[in-house]
Amino acid sequence: MFIRLENVNYTYNLNMPFETVALNNINLEIEKGEFIGLIGHTGCGKTTLIQHLNGLLTPTSGKVYIEGIDICQKGVNLKLIRQKIGLVFQYPENQLFEENIFEEIAFGPRKLGLTEEEIKKRVYEVLEMVDLDVSYTERSPFSLSGGEMRRIAIASILSLKPQMLVLDEPTANLDPQGRSKILSEIKNIHDHYGITILLVSHNMEKIAEMVERLLVMNKGKIILDGSPREIFSRHAEQLIDIGLGLPQVTQCFYELKKRGKSIKEGVLTVEEAEREVLKKIKALANNLQK
Amino acid sequence: MIKIKNLSHIYNIPRRDPIIALKEINLEIERGEFLTIIGSNGSGKSTLARHINGLLLPTSGDVWVKGMNTKDRECLWKIRQEVGMVFQNPDNQIVATTVEDDIAFGLENMGIDRENMLERVNWALQVVGLEEYRRFEPHLLSGGQKQRVAIAGVIAMHPSFLILDEPTAMLDPRGRKEVIEVIKKLNQEEGITVIFITHLMEEVIESNRVVVLNKGEIALNGKPKDIFLKVDALRSFALDIPQITELAFRLNHKGLKNISPSTLKVEEMVEQLCLYV
């Protein structure tokens, strides 16, 4: 097991007037190579949870194991853990600071004490991973578009060669073009480089199409854990109840079903919905002929 | 009324090529309208918005608000009182330590007397539905609530026009819904003319008219229903088509003529599909 969280609880401002329980008895296992989505309302504990994955926060109670090692005990090399599990925060472009993109990406590898030769190699490697040209290295990170800045921020984390990448709302505030670009790169980083991905997002439609496993959080708990199809077909009602709702086409088919139509549930994409409707019409026409 | 005539704007950044942000824009906005301006990043949405209350002045062309030209310095303060503006990031717009103080901030600068001020603050709090939060510190509120505080602070000054520049971009779905509801109410119940800027197609549904900007020019201008018919054009402007509209468009093209290609809402789609399946 790559990551295991055991009965993890976390309370902000413990024993203070504004004491808030952010995580409530979280149990979670993540295997290497998974592509996981995490959804939930603001304030449900998503960000708190991911900060536990590389020891930025330590649980109020409970245990976090990374490759079998309890990372909360004394003497654990957290630096190494943070290199293994790279966290991309919300609005990571705010963290850019160097004068050119080469230096920006080289910052991490340089701290690792690599030689100039190796650093250069890594910078070029990760630029390719986020599909940016080598010509970018000379430019200032602040001359880029929002989407490109974000890709540079992701590249600088990739330069530490993490085994897992955790991204907190990587598409927030981007226009549709920038959003598709980032998401397709994240998919590529998973598919081609075998990096485990945990993606936090509000974009139900996109996440339903992309991930293999979906976690749903509500009020500090993981309430659902399964494939998007399973979750959107079997637990549609629950998702509506807690106000997260469903992707539009999923909701459309759910409503049809509720009206007594015999139609597939848990439809996730427009293509699939189109196919199902046409199939259904054909079947009805055939019945009529008989 | 707002009248924009042959408006062009060029950003001159030192040591860089000039950027033409707006090209010959002509637009009239009537009282009571709920107008949505939509476009991808860099299409000129925010630049256009900043011209309407004189934060930017035209490189060429003119902008009139209730007959006052934004180039006329004498009118500038009057124009800004008539045209309130709410920005994207709620955290950058909140100045005071409690919700009610923040809403009163603009009124204090206008020199409104205390009694009148209290009345206006109460009204604004009630319109945005934050009465029970009046003594809260703003940082304890959610993003959607903070954005509603920002809106309350602007409407307390009784503007005729309210411009909202991507007020939902940084919010989660719940916060989005809250803010859209408040905007709808301001337009329908309080009669404020709304100019709403977004890059999300889903959010244009409530408005009477949509202006699509592409590369600094008005590409489309019409009712949401008519705009949504132009799926291919919208896609070429790098805008996202909502899943339901995309599905309706495809099914219509497959010969399901009872499914309108400009279907915007899930409920509409369900009704139409019931005819077939």
Side-chain angles (χ1 to χ4, degrees):
Chain A
M1 193 56 54
F2 184 36
I3 297 178
R4 186 154 56 99
L5 271 64
E6 237 178 55
N7 307 322
V8 168
N9 288 286
Y10 188 82
T11 307
Y12 283 103
N13 304 314
L14 191 63
N15 304 326
M16 305 260 273
F18 285 106
E19 187 175 294
T20 331
V21 177
L23 295 181
N24 188 349
N25 205 31
I26 299 281
N27 285 291
L28 174 67
E29 294 189 342
I30 298 173
E31 299 272 12
K32 265 193 190 146
E34 281 197 278
F35 192 157
I36 307 175
L38 173 59
I39 58 174
H41 283 300
T42 307
C44 75
K46 303 188 297 281
T47 303
T48 310
L49 175 66
I50 63 174
Q51 287 177 337
H52 278 78
L53 298 179
N54 70 353
L56 278 180
L57 290 175
T58 47
T60 309
S61 70
K63 295 257 191 282
V64 179
Y65 298 96
I66 310 284
E67 294 185 312
I69 299 166
D70 174 5
I71 64 164
C72 308
Q73 61 187 345
K74 272 199 184 127
V76 169
N77 186 351
L78 276 176
K79 238 182 174 171
L80 200 68
I81 300 283
R82 289 182 188 148
Q83 202 184 310
K84 262 186 199 162
I85 298 171
L87 228 62
V88 181
F89 293 116
Q90 277 178 43
Y91 303 108
E93 59 273 24
N94 294 342
Q95 299 166 42
L96 302 179
F97 68 100
E98 278 284 3
E99 68 182 84
N100 65 51
I101 286 167
F102 184 90
E103 286 306 318
E104 185 66 53
I105 299 175
F107 184 79
R110 195 156 278 150
K111 292 280 172 234
L112 293 179
L114 301 181
T115 65
E116 274 311 303
E117 197 59 28
E118 283 171 310
I119 291 172
K120 206 168 162 184
K121 205 173 131 221
R122 282 211 185 178
V123 172
Y124 289 163
E125 248 175 51
V126 296
L127 272 175
E128 199 189 316
M129 283 172 88
V130 296
D131 196 24
L132 289 173
D133 208 276
V134 188
S135 67
Y136 274 80
T137 49
E138 302 288 319
R139 293 173 59 179
S140 157
F142 304 102
S143 69
L144 304 180
S145 75
E148 286 172 330
M149 276 162 91
R150 212 163 275 190
R151 277 146 68 195
I152 293 296
I154 294 174
S156 53
I157 298 205
L158 287 170
S159 71
L160 299 172
K161 296 207 177 218
Q163 294 172 11
M164 179 176 187
L165 201 57
V166 181
L167 303 115
D168 196 355
E169 292 274 359
T171 60
N173 225 355
L174 294 181
D175 68 352
Q177 237 171 4
R179 198 162 67 209
S180 319
K181 185 79 190 132
I182 288 246
L183 289 176
S184 72
E185 261 144 35
I186 292 169
K187 187 146 176 45
N188 184 47
I189 288 167
H190 172 262
D191 294 352
H192 285 87
Y193 299 92
I195 294 176
T196 312
I197 304 275
L198 178 68
L199 181 64
V200 178
S201 179
H202 285 308
N203 194 327
M204 206 71 104
E205 274 87 11
K206 283 276 179 293
I207 213 164
E209 286 178 30
M210 280 180 77
V211 303
E212 296 154 359
R213 178 180 171 197
L214 187 61
L215 304 173
V216 183
M217 284 189 78
N218 192 35
K219 296 182 179 160
K221 288 188 175 177
I222 295 178
I223 55 164
L224 296 169
D225 179 353
S227 74
R229 195 174 297 281
E230 212 173 276
I231 287 181
F232 288 129
S233 58
R234 283 197 214 137
H235 305 280
E237 203 135 339
Q238 198 177 352
L239 287 170
I240 293 169
D241 274 350
I242 61 171
L244 276 176
L246 302 169
Q248 279 193 328
V249 290
T250 318
Q251 196 196 341
C252 179
F253 276 55
Y254 170 78
E255 300 283 343
L256 285 171
K257 186 100 190 173
K258 246 178 42 185
R259 293 192 178 197
K261 307 285 179 189
S262 70
I263 201 150
K264 195 172 161 186
E265 265 185 282
V267 169
L268 301 179
T269 63
V270 174
E271 291 77 18
E272 197 185 351
E274 183 189 6
R275 249 190 346 259
E276 283 303 316
V277 170
L278 295 177
K279 208 166 90 186
K280 179 82 192 169
I281 291 172
K282 216 169 164 187
L284 287 172
N286 281 342
N287 275 346
L288 222 59
Q289 275 177 0
K290 277 178 203 162
Chain B
M1 203 186 80
I2 291 168
K3 192 170 173 198
I4 298 169
K5 202 169 170 209
N6 300 330
L7 168 65
S8 294
H9 190 89
I10 299 172
Y11 286 106
N12 271 311
I13 302 165
R15 287 185 287 138
R16 282 231 222 121
D17 295 336
I19 298 164
I20 303 168
L22 292 175
K23 255 184 281 184
E24 296 286 314
I25 299 279
N26 286 292
L27 183 65
E28 288 186 16
I29 303 165
E30 299 292 339
R31 272 205 90 130
E33 265 199 285
F34 185 158
L35 174 76
T36 302
I37 299 176
I38 185 164
S40 62
N41 287 2
S43 61
K45 310 186 289 290
S46 295
T47 306
L48 179 57
R50 283 164 173 71
H51 274 281
I52 300 178
N53 72 349
L55 279 177
L56 289 174
L57 294 177
T59 309
S60 65
D62 291 284
V63 178
W64 291 276
V65 176
K66 285 188 164 175
M68 298 177 283
N69 195 317
T70 55
K71 282 179 187 160
D72 185 352
R73 289 191 73 96
E74 302 273 298
C75 296
L76 205 52
W77 292 108
K78 188 85 187 63
I79 288 174
R80 294 207 179 131
Q81 256 177 45
E82 290 288 346
V83 186
M85 192 144 173
V86 175
F87 297 92
Q88 194 175 85
N89 189 340
D91 290 319
N92 295 348
Q93 300 171 73
I94 289 174
V95 288
T97 48
T98 69
V99 168
E100 59 180 356
D101 282 352
D102 193 76
I103 297 172
F105 183 79
L107 301 176
E108 283 167 351
N109 287 336
M110 284 165 71
I112 305 281
D113 61 83
R114 187 180 153 77
E115 211 163 299
N116 197 346
M117 193 186 294
L118 273 173
E119 207 172 288
R120 288 194 188 195
V121 169
N122 287 339
W123 169 77
L125 276 167
Q126 178 232 323
V127 171
V128 301
L130 287 174
E131 286 138 307
E132 67 262 50
Y133 293 96
R134 63 183 309 148
R135 294 194 201 286
F136 268 59
E137 292 174 34
H139 74 268
L140 294 173
L141 304 179
S142 73
Q145 288 167 335
K146 279 190 240 181
Q147 201 57 294
R148 279 146 67 202
V149 173
I151 293 173
V154 172
I155 60 169
M157 296 190 277
H158 290 174
S160 310
F161 304 92
L162 181 62
I163 306 177
L164 303 112
D165 190 0
E166 299 204 40
T168 59
M170 298 182 88
L171 306 180
D172 67 344
R174 187 189 283 168
R176 276 210 173 117
K177 228 182 251 167
E178 287 169 11
V179 169
I180 302 269
E181 282 306 314
V182 165
I183 297 170
K184 222 166 89 182
K185 192 165 147 196
L186 284 172
N187 178 252
Q188 287 171 2
E189 290 172 24
E190 306 295 338
I192 297 175
T193 309
V194 171
I195 300 156
F196 176 64
I197 297 174
T198 181
H199 61 238
L200 290 172
M201 294 288 294
E202 289 92 318
E203 293 184 343
V204 313
I205 298 170
E206 306 296 345
S207 52
N208 328 108
R209 182 152 71 109
V210 185
V211 166
V212 183
L213 278 183
N214 185 45
K215 297 185 179 140
E217 290 177 287
I218 294 181
L220 298 169
N221 182 354
K223 288 200 164 58
K225 278 267 173 202
D226 301 329
I227 299 286
F228 271 85
L229 283 173
K230 301 184 171 129
V231 168
D232 289 329
L234 292 170
R235 212 174 270 136
S236 73
F237 307 146
L239 289 167
D240 241 3
I241 314 298
Q243 277 192 334
I244 278 302
T245 310
E246 165 109 43
L247 179 61
F249 179 77
R250 287 184 180 212
L251 290 174
N252 184 278
H253 274 237
K254 284 274 157 71
L256 275 59
K257 294 298 173 206
N258 285 332
I259 292 182
S260 154
S262 64
T263 305
L264 309 179
K265 294 184 180 172
V266 174
E267 306 87 71
E268 276 177 79
M269 188 65 175
V270 173
E271 291 298 331
Q272 298 178 50
L273 275 176
C274 277
L275 303 171
Y276 288 101
V277 300

